[in-house]
Amino acid sequence: ERRAPPEKIAVIGAGIGGTSAAYYLRQKFGKDVKIDVFEKGKVGGRLATLNVRGQEFESGGSVIHPLNLHMKRFVKDLGLSAVQSPSGLMGVYNGETLVYEESSWFIINMIKLIWHYGFQSLRMHMWVEDILDKFMRIYRYQSHDYAFSSVEKLLHSLGGDDYLGLFNRSLLETLQKAGFSEKFLDEIITPVMRVNYGQTTNINGFVGAVSMSCTDPGLWAVKGGNKLVCSRLLQASRSNLVSGLVMSIEEKTRTKQTGNPSKVYEVVYQTGSETHSDFYDIVLVATPLNRKMSNINFLNFDPPIEEFHQHYEPLVTTLIKGELNSFVLSSRPLNKFHLGTILTTDNPDLFINSIGLVSPVEEDSISQPKADLAHVWKIFSAAPLTKKQILKLFVSYDYVVKQSWLAYPHYTPPEKCPSIILHDRLYYLNGIEFAASAMEMSAIAGYNAALLAYHRWNGNTHMIDQEDLYERLKTEL
Ligand SMILES: Cc1cc2nc3c(=O)[nH]c(=O)nc-3n(C[C@H](O)[C@H](O)[C@H](O)COP(=O)(O)OP(=O)(O)OC[C@H]3O[C@@H](n4cnc5c(N)ncnc54)[C@H](O)[C@@H]3O)c2cc1C
Ligand SMILES: CC(C)=CCC/C(C)=C/CC/C(C)=C/CSC[C@H](N)C(=O)O
């Protein structure tokens, strides 16, 4: 006999993790359960846009990989559309000169890469492809409703000890062992880690591979802004959005209408100056549990729910509409400067991680800067840019806007991912960011948490943490 569904579920956070969890919770638990999604800021969280002279530009999560199947499915099912992300030519600046510059001719690029780095670029591509290939197994597991109780078990299910080993070792160690040269690591790999995660090759190998996959062709974004996926998921899940700040969660015993006492969680939250509380059978926390980001108190749990001290990397996105000073980066005037993205090496004198041309969220991509036009450039930096720094990079500018983030975990392998199960019916999604932080990773965590909550509610232990799933599902065909 199937257990009656829960009456009420709370999801804390309306980013892509929380809204995808709400969507899948509705699919699993059915139409009668009441789902409240709490959000202290804007729906979308780290998917957000900034306005530059009347046009919106992505300021947080911006690019999506062509093999990110949950994001792809959301866009299709929620009536949204995709646009190609800018694919301009890329250069690498070391603080003095451009140490690498792409050409618009494929064959020239190949020759340049081989001349500078031998066949390392091709080997790197194959290494990433192999990791992505195994990563795709998660979609098969999830489509068969399997869930995992820890991020480590999820990673292990994708490719065994070697795969989990990627997460436990630094990218540097993994690539050095594989024979990649210092020059290639400094001039190509580190700049890619800096633009994507604001860090060096000291990050774990798995997030390193995810980051390298951003050099694949076919990256895309959601027309109108990636955050639209979150608002549409919320709508489709028929959840109730509560605009408020969750302050604490405590387990309580309550007598329900049936007369039986049952364990529920009391969620205390603030809307404006008022404090409210409500009771839930299941709670999903879909925000980093980090004092600076969410500050949720877990009251009177026995054993106590551990404090989360993981450090998130401060990062500033600055959008500047202006004319780039190409002479800072090269010896060429702007009309002869054809790069759309400039990455940087790990030089402490540099005050930016990257600078790249961007398109408004409503438009298809531009790939080349035009000398006669002021374009919008996106800069990532560890600290806010000063006026002096902006004037060094731009001959002139007419608009600047910035957004500061605690962007992604500071990766220090080997490390342990926080638990997904915090308590009996209390789940945590954002531990997955310690493997890699990306929209698709949060969507996978959202689906996994919904499946885990469903199976644990119904006692379906055979659907959780199953070994050899890949082999078993292969023979099931
Ligand atoms: C600058 C930047 C660039 C990025 N670029 C990319 C990219 O190109 N591609 C990609 O795939 N990923 C990218 N990412 C990563 C990606 O944006 C994140 O991994 C993803 O958006 C995280 O989603 P989430 O729902 O897990 O968390 P969040 O989006 O952080 O959502 C958590 C939500 O919870 C809310 N909240 C927190 N505490 C409380 C509380 N106590 N009560 C109520 N609500 C609360 C927050 O306001 C927030 O809205 C980027 C991130 C940044 C910052
Ligand atoms: C999860 C898998 C397999 C792939 C995801 C690849 C991906 C899109 C990772 C995102 C990495 C990230 C945090 C990028 C931030 S910067 C993005 C972009 N260069 C920009 O300029 O905004």
Side-chain angles (χ1 to χ4, degrees):
E1 214 175 281
R2 191 175 285 280
R3 184 178 175 189
E7 281 173 26
K8 282 173 84 177
I9 303 180
V11 177
I12 303 169
I16 186 67
T19 54
S20 60
Y23 182 75
Y24 290 120
L25 282 166
R26 173 68 66 210
Q27 288 188 0
K28 294 312 299 174
F29 283 107
K31 61 179 179 31
D32 293 332
V33 59
K34 182 168 185 279
I35 305 174
D36 286 343
V37 178
F38 291 87
E39 175 52 58
K40 73 175 164 97
K42 288 186 183 162
V43 169
R46 276 172 279 167
L47 305 186
T49 54
L50 280 174
N51 192 288
V52 178
R53 297 255 180 257
Q55 287 180 308
E56 297 290 323
F57 293 81
E58 296 288 358
S59 60
S62 56
V63 296
I64 306 170
H65 192 275
L67 292 177
N68 287 170
L69 300 191
H70 286 316
M71 291 303 294
K72 228 169 156 169
R73 164 62 65 91
F74 292 154
V75 165
K76 183 165 171 273
D77 290 357
L78 300 170
L80 293 165
S81 51
V83 286
Q84 286 306 300
S85 296
S87 59
L89 301 177
M90 185 273 288
V92 178
Y93 180 65
N94 71 357
E96 281 174 15
T97 179
L98 288 166
V99 286
Y100 186 77
E101 226 179 312
E102 260 182 355
S103 152
S104 47
W105 293 86
F106 177 78
I107 188 74
I108 306 252
N109 261 335
M110 287 294 116
I111 294 168
K112 264 188 163 184
L113 278 172
I114 296 170
W115 176 260
H116 283 282
Y117 312 108
F119 287 96
Q120 295 186 82
S121 179
L122 187 66
R123 277 184 58 216
M124 173 53 57
H125 186 74
M126 285 159 64
W127 180 76
V128 173
E129 201 173 78
D130 183 51
I131 292 166
L132 277 197
D133 216 43
K134 295 194 171 89
F135 180 81
M136 302 306 283
R137 293 175 182 175
I138 190 62
Y139 299 114
R140 190 97 190 268
Y141 304 161
Q142 293 197 321
S143 70
H144 283 78
D145 267 9
Y146 287 102
F148 298 90
S149 67
S150 77
V151 175
E152 279 91 350
K153 286 185 175 143
L154 188 156
L155 288 176
H156 192 270
S157 77
L158 299 176
D161 292 345
D162 288 350
Y163 213 77
L164 187 56
L166 281 172
F167 164 67
N168 287 325
R169 273 191 299 277
S170 75
L171 177 68
L172 181 66
E173 191 185 337
T174 302
L175 296 185
Q176 274 175 341
K177 269 198 187 130
F180 287 93
S181 73
E182 210 164 299
K183 181 176 160 70
F184 184 67
L185 293 176
D186 290 348
E187 294 182 0
I188 300 292
I189 308 298
T190 300
V192 176
M193 300 309 129
R194 279 170 63 80
V195 61
N196 288 330
Y197 288 100
Q199 292 165 67
T200 63
T201 48
N202 290 328
I203 67 178
N204 77 65
F206 178 72
V207 67
V210 165
S211 177
M212 282 313 294
S213 77
C214 288
T215 60
D216 287 346
L219 297 181
W220 57 282
V222 179
K223 189 167 187 163
N226 294 327
K227 66 183 178 187
L228 288 181
V229 175
C230 302
S231 44
R232 294 280 174 99
L233 283 170
L234 212 51
Q235 250 174 22
S237 70
R238 282 170 289 112
S239 303
N240 172 40
L241 174 67
V242 184
S243 297
L245 167 79
V246 170
M247 298 190 297
S248 67
I249 303 173
E250 183 172 7
E251 197 188 30
K252 295 268 169 86
T253 303
R254 253 185 120 208
T255 308
K256 291 201 170 173
Q257 279 158 350
T258 53
N260 296 329
S262 67
K263 297 272 191 192
V264 287
Y265 295 108
E266 182 178 27
V267 172
V268 177
Y269 60 98
Q270 211 169 25
T271 53
S273 57
E274 288 175 34
T275 303
H276 311 263
S277 79
D278 219 332
F279 295 94
Y280 297 91
D281 299 293
I282 297 174
V283 176
L284 270 63
V285 178
T287 171
L289 281 173
N290 169 310
R291 290 236 162 265
K292 288 187 188 157
M293 293 166 92
S294 50
N295 202 12
I296 299 169
N297 292 304
F298 296 96
L299 304 177
N300 303 320
F301 281 89
D302 184 22
I305 290 175
E306 58 177 298
E307 275 255 4
F308 294 82
H309 294 293
Q310 273 99 359
H311 173 70
Y312 270 63
E313 202 69 19
L315 184 86
V316 184
T317 307
T318 309
L319 295 174
I320 301 183
K321 187 161 197 253
E323 195 182 316
L324 189 73
N325 180 3
S326 58
F327 289 115
V328 173
L329 305 161
S330 74
S331 53
R332 274 166 287 144
L334 195 56
N335 61 359
K336 296 213 165 63
F337 184 84
H338 300 299
L339 299 180
T341 303
I342 299 100
L343 312 185
T344 59
T345 59
D346 186 24
N347 173 350
D349 293 339
L350 286 168
F351 55 85
I352 61 166
N353 296 348
S354 64
I355 174 167
L357 269 176
V358 284
S359 313
V361 295
E362 287 297 344
E363 263 176 35
D364 271 316
S365 66
I366 41 167
S367 58
Q368 295 286 326
K370 289 193 186 75
D372 54 331
L373 282 177
H375 284 282
V376 179
W377 296 85
K378 184 197 274 186
I379 299 172
F380 287 133
S381 56
L385 298 177
T386 61
K387 194 165 182 193
K388 195 170 160 207
Q389 289 169 334
I390 295 175
L391 283 171
K392 194 170 171 198
L393 287 171
F394 289 86
V395 175
S396 64
Y397 63 91
D398 72 21
Y399 198 82
V400 182
V401 62
K402 69 170 193 293
Q403 185 156 6
S404 298
W405 300 102
L406 285 174
Y408 356 73
H410 180 77
Y411 295 101
T412 50
E415 58 199 338
K416 208 180 158 322
C417 276
S419 302
I420 299 177
I421 303 172
L422 295 181
H423 189 253
D424 196 18
R425 289 150 289 109
L426 174 59
Y427 301 93
Y428 179 40
L429 276 64
N430 290 68
I432 203 158
E433 288 192 71
F434 286 84
S437 176
M439 290 174 233
E440 186 71 6
M441 297 302 286
S442 289
I444 286 171
Y447 197 2
N448 182 64
L451 288 169
L452 192 61
Y454 176 77
H455 293 317
R456 281 166 56 86
W457 182 263
N458 289 302
N460 302 335
T461 49
H462 64 287
M463 297 303 289
I464 302 169
D465 294 338
Q466 293 301 294
E467 301 273 344
D468 303 322
L469 264 188
Y470 180 65
E471 291 304 321
R472 279 169 47 191
L473 290 177
K474 231 172 29 182
T475 51
E476 243 177 53
L477 260 181

